[in-house]
Amino acid sequence: MPAPIRLRELIRTIRTARTQAEEREMIQKECAAIRSSFREEDNTYRCRNVAKLLYMHMLGYPAHFGQLECLKLIASQKFTDKRIGYLGAMLLLDERQDVHLLMTNCIKNDLNHSTQYVQGLALCTLGCMGSSEMCRDLAGEVEKLLKTSNSYLRKKVTLCAVHVIRKVPELMEMFLPATKNLLSEKNHGECELVPQLVRILKNLIMSGYSPEHDVSGISDPFLQVRILRLLRILGKSDDDSSEAMNDILAQVATNTETSKNVGNAILYETVLTIMDIKSESGLRVLAINILGRFLLNNDKNIRYVALTSLLKTVQTDHNAVQRHRSTIVDCLKDLDVSIKRRAMELSFALVNGNNIRGMMKELLYFLDSCDPEFKADCASGVFLAAEKYAPSKRWHIDTIMRVLTTAGSYVRDDSVPNLIQLITNSVEMHAYTVQRLYKALLDDISQQPLVQVASWCIGEYGDLLVSGQCEEEEPIQVTEDEVLDVLEGLLVSNLSAAVTRGYSLTAIMKLSTRFSGVNRIKKVVSIYGSSIDVELQQRAVEYNALFKKYDHMRPALLERMPIMEKSASNGPTEIVQTNGETEPSVVDSKHPPPVSQPANQVGALLHLFLNLDLHDTFGMRSNSFDLFFRANPNPNVAVITIHASNSTEADMTDFVFQAAVPKVSRPNPAQIIKCLCFEVLIHGFGVFCVGLQCDFLFSLRMRIKLTYTLKGSPVQDLAEVNNFPPQSWQ
Amino acid sequence: MIKAILIFNNHGKPRLIRFYQYFTEDMQQQIIRETFHLVSKRDDNVCNFLEGGSLIGGSDYKLIYRHYATLYFVFCVDSSESELGILDLIQVFVETLDKCFENVCELDLIFHMDKVHYILQEVVMGGMVLETNMNEIVAQVEVQNRLEKSEVLNCLFCHVNSSPINREATKPAVPDQHRLRPL
């Protein structure tokens, strides 16, 4: 067989391939040649073949058949073989394959080799890919080597030991004494470490020019950085260590030259350390000033790093960071996307009552000109900030208008109900708001959140719009027909989403009590009674019925919305309510659900069962509770829904619901899988769901215990259900 | 900890890949492709730090890269490493390559992939920084190469399978713009 080609030849050949297919063909041919060469067990060429294999592996081709060959190379006596063999092992093998364990013995021998470079190779391999079994076996050897005086090896052994400890944390104690020796000459305790480190750092800074270790004129920056990091870890929660470090940190911070990148790296590390340990306030201010200087640096990397660190410290050192606010705001105009994002987050963190007007101007300008990926976050941030710090209601509404018109399509879905609530609550601004929204609608109907808010407002306050009552700015002259034109335009426009159409139809309906001419509205509503869109059709049909059969109720149903309070508990019904849509349920004669949800009021008697058909539940009455059960048997899990309502006049607090079933009892063992309690929705009304497994639902026995506090004294209520009648099944 | 070191050219062809965390071959190639995709989109005047890309390590990692002529040097690190420090490290690594190969260029990396691995082994071990002194690294690498060479010369019937570090006459002359210029 001809001698296998050299690595160089192979590379040259592969580079001549013009297509992927050609390259694959060449590689396959070479792989076949290598495989037959391996089979011949030829020691002289094994080296070369494995090198070629590694190259092909880098290009992405499978090379696992070379794994055993690497092991053979490692076992060889020649340094050349070992070198490529260990490299191959590190690249091709991993701890998931049992093959790697075969290396353990070789590594063990090589760790004690006479040549330091062989030892180095073994340490490198063990430190890169040693599995926990290997580490356990070889930990003793590594620990022995830690005591070596050979500086070349010592570094490698240390890193290898770190890897061993990471893999097998229990071995840490074995390495502790050796570690202490590495840092100090004498064997001191840990508290001595900090002064030692401080001394070393001091020497580094003061020592002046040391040619072997320096990078651009600063002595051994990597060591400085490492020491600073170690100081950070040691001083993190320790007051004494932090105090010992204060001086040296101040010294490093002021003396390090910042003209080159290395100086900046050290300064950055110093700043991080100052932030993390319990340093005095003067030092922290110094750190933040350094970061502020970084922000003015031409190098974008430095600016990025500064912004990231400032973001981390803005919570704790708010005032100090405020001083650099203008620089941060300038960074919003930077071209670099990462810098812009960080500047935006930092700007929002810095907004407070004093600077809200200025900051908001900058942020709104940023919102105008930034990339789409930022707009959603920026808009949410603006809303939050405006809500917290708005100096006046008019300013607030202006800001919201600005956001809606510039970034309207990127605004999050839940902002629409929040905005509607805000507008409703600013009573004196209704006329101004509806006027501005109307004008915005005339310009542009493509941004859905804007359109939705606008149509809702027009529906509510259309009378103010038409009567021209605005105080804040010049009232515009609008007729009823013009308003209806705009709203009908929304209904037919292709740009409107289905939800938006719903909004505008309801708005038109509401105007029937606010405008004088209802005929046009009646016509629109009846047309949409045959719309293809089911939602629109349902609304239109109901509104039609409102005109025909329930005209006496119409004014009451469509009157102005009351002020809505922000309630804490959020069930799905809550969100629907604050949307402001009154849902006149014309079909059944029950009362429409209450619009406002005053929070935390467990109140008086209210038999209000939303959409509960009482016929197929089965109920029982305890001392102060009405309980209604509905069961839903499935093959695996039966779900029993229990509606409980407070039948006393007084409030109940500290309510606890417990359910129990007999686990082992013939003929019907049962087991409760899950017991859920939904929030108390309205006025002393609770819904609980019990999911359980049982064979025969109708012979189930369930005991219910209710504990609560009534009129100041704790009460316990027990109820037992002996069988579930079939009518109670769904 | 450094999770991976990748060197690839302007077209995404890998010149050196070293992972310090286990990934299957498919994952490795996918990571290379994704990293190239992210890094090649960057303008030359933006910062050298990138976050994003979901493959390596989940959320706790960033890419720190440097672009020299036709090559991208990308270090993928987690949050325990200092970004500016790693930038310096890349600089040191490239300067070391320059010293070892004498005005290094992409072709050197292509044809001496194993040598580059050996040099890298002296700088980073197990994902942690081992040695940062350039002269020290170069000295150690040279001693080991001499050791190899002496073994080869001792064996009468062995073929030379690793080329000496110095540039050979057979290598074509490299135009200036392909040389890696250290900053």
Side-chain angles (χ1 to χ4, degrees), chain A residues 8 15 23 45 48 57 79-80 83 90 94 96 117 155-156 212 261 300-301 304 336, chain B residues 13 18 22 25 45-48 51 80 88 110 125 131 133 140 143 145 148 151 159 168:
Chain A
R8 223 178 318 139
R15 276 164 68 77
E23 184 185 286
Y45 296 121
R48 191 186 284 189
H57 176 255
F79 178 70
T80 319
R83 218 181 184 193
M90 280 190 275
D94 64 85
R96 277 147 222 244
Y117 298 106
K155 282 181 278 227
K156 297 208 168 182
E212 26 180 81
N261 191 42
K300 46 215 157 26
N301 295 324
Y304 172 94
D336 185 342
Chain B
K13 271 237 140 190
R18 191 67 211 260
Y22 171 67
E25 264 92 28
N45 55 1
V46 299
C47 66
N48 298 87
E51 275 153 35
S80 69
D88 283 341
I110 296 173
M125 186 177 121
E131 175 67 65
N133 183 334
Q140 298 297 345
V143 170
N145 288 333
E148 251 193 58
E151 265 183 2
H159 295 260
E168 292 192 342

Side-chain angles (χ1 to χ4, degrees), chain A residues 400-652:
Chain A
I400 291 175
M401 289 288 309
R402 179 87 185 269
V403 174
L404 283 179
T405 44
T406 52
S409 19
Y410 300 97
V411 161
R412 285 199 233 278
D413 291 334
D414 59 353
S415 348
V416 171
N418 287 338
L419 288 176
I420 289 178
Q421 185 186 34
L422 174 69
I423 292 171
T424 316
N425 292 350
S426 338
V427 177
E428 65 277 10
M429 305 294 305
H430 284 167
Y432 171 69
T433 314
V434 70
Q435 187 165 292
R436 285 211 59 189
L437 283 170
Y438 178 75
K439 282 199 275 196
L441 261 194
L442 289 178
D443 278 331
D444 173 22
I445 59 170
S446 63
Q447 308 201 78
Q448 299 305 297
L450 173 65
V451 174
Q452 288 167 9
V453 175
S455 29
W456 188 91
C457 278
I458 294 176
E460 274 293 301
Y461 310 119
D463 48 335
L464 298 176
L465 182 62
V466 172
S467 63
Q469 281 179 19
C470 180
E471 292 162 354
E472 301 276 341
E473 62 173 24
E474 190 65 38
I476 55 176
Q477 307 295 338
V478 183
T479 64
E480 293 182 2
D481 275 324
E482 284 171 345
V483 174
L484 286 172
D485 281 338
V486 169
L487 286 176
E488 283 185 45
L490 292 175
L491 274 175
V492 299
S493 162
N494 286 332
L495 295 168
S496 302
V499 175
T500 314
R501 278 187 245 259
Y503 270 90
S504 44
L505 188 60
T506 309
I508 293 177
M509 185 60 190
K510 283 196 224 169
L511 288 175
S512 70
T513 49
R514 292 160 174 73
F515 282 359
S516 44
V518 280
N519 289 329
R520 180 170 173 183
I521 298 178
K522 273 194 200 171
K523 218 179 343 171
V524 172
V525 163
S526 64
I527 290 175
Y528 279 87
S530 44
S531 156
I532 306 178
D533 184 338
V534 177
E535 171 73 24
L536 278 184
Q537 193 190 92
Q538 178 177 358
R539 287 183 190 222
V541 165
E542 288 180 1
Y543 297 156
N544 237 340
L546 201 56
F547 274 125
K548 299 216 166 61
K549 283 200 283 178
Y550 297 94
D551 208 33
H552 54 282
M553 286 173 71
R554 189 164 49 91
L557 281 173
L558 299 178
E559 70 177 12
R560 193 76 101 226
M561 295 291 271
I563 299 203
M564 294 180 247
E565 311 237 335
K566 262 239 156 95
S567 44
S569 54
N570 279 320
T573 43
E574 301 286 329
I575 292 181
V576 169
Q577 308 284 352
T578 52
N579 201 358
E581 298 277 309
T582 45
E583 297 286 349
S585 43
V586 184
V587 183
D588 52 43
S589 54
K590 301 202 188 89
H591 304 288
V595 169
S596 56
Q597 302 291 331
N600 302 325
Q601 238 185 21
V602 177
L605 182 72
L606 236 196
H607 286 289
L608 196 69
F609 300 110
L610 305 171
N611 299 324
L612 244 199
D613 195 344
L614 294 173
H615 295 302
D616 50 15
T617 57
F618 118 93
M620 46 188 300
R621 189 165 290 232
S622 66
N623 291 339
S624 30
F625 267 95
D626 288 344
L627 297 170
F628 285 81
F629 298 87
R630 197 192 285 169
N632 180 12
N634 284 326
N636 300 320
V637 175
V639 177
I640 301 182
T641 316
I642 303 165
H643 301 263
S645 82
N646 177 2
S647 58
T648 67
E649 301 281 317
D651 292 39
M652 280 181 191

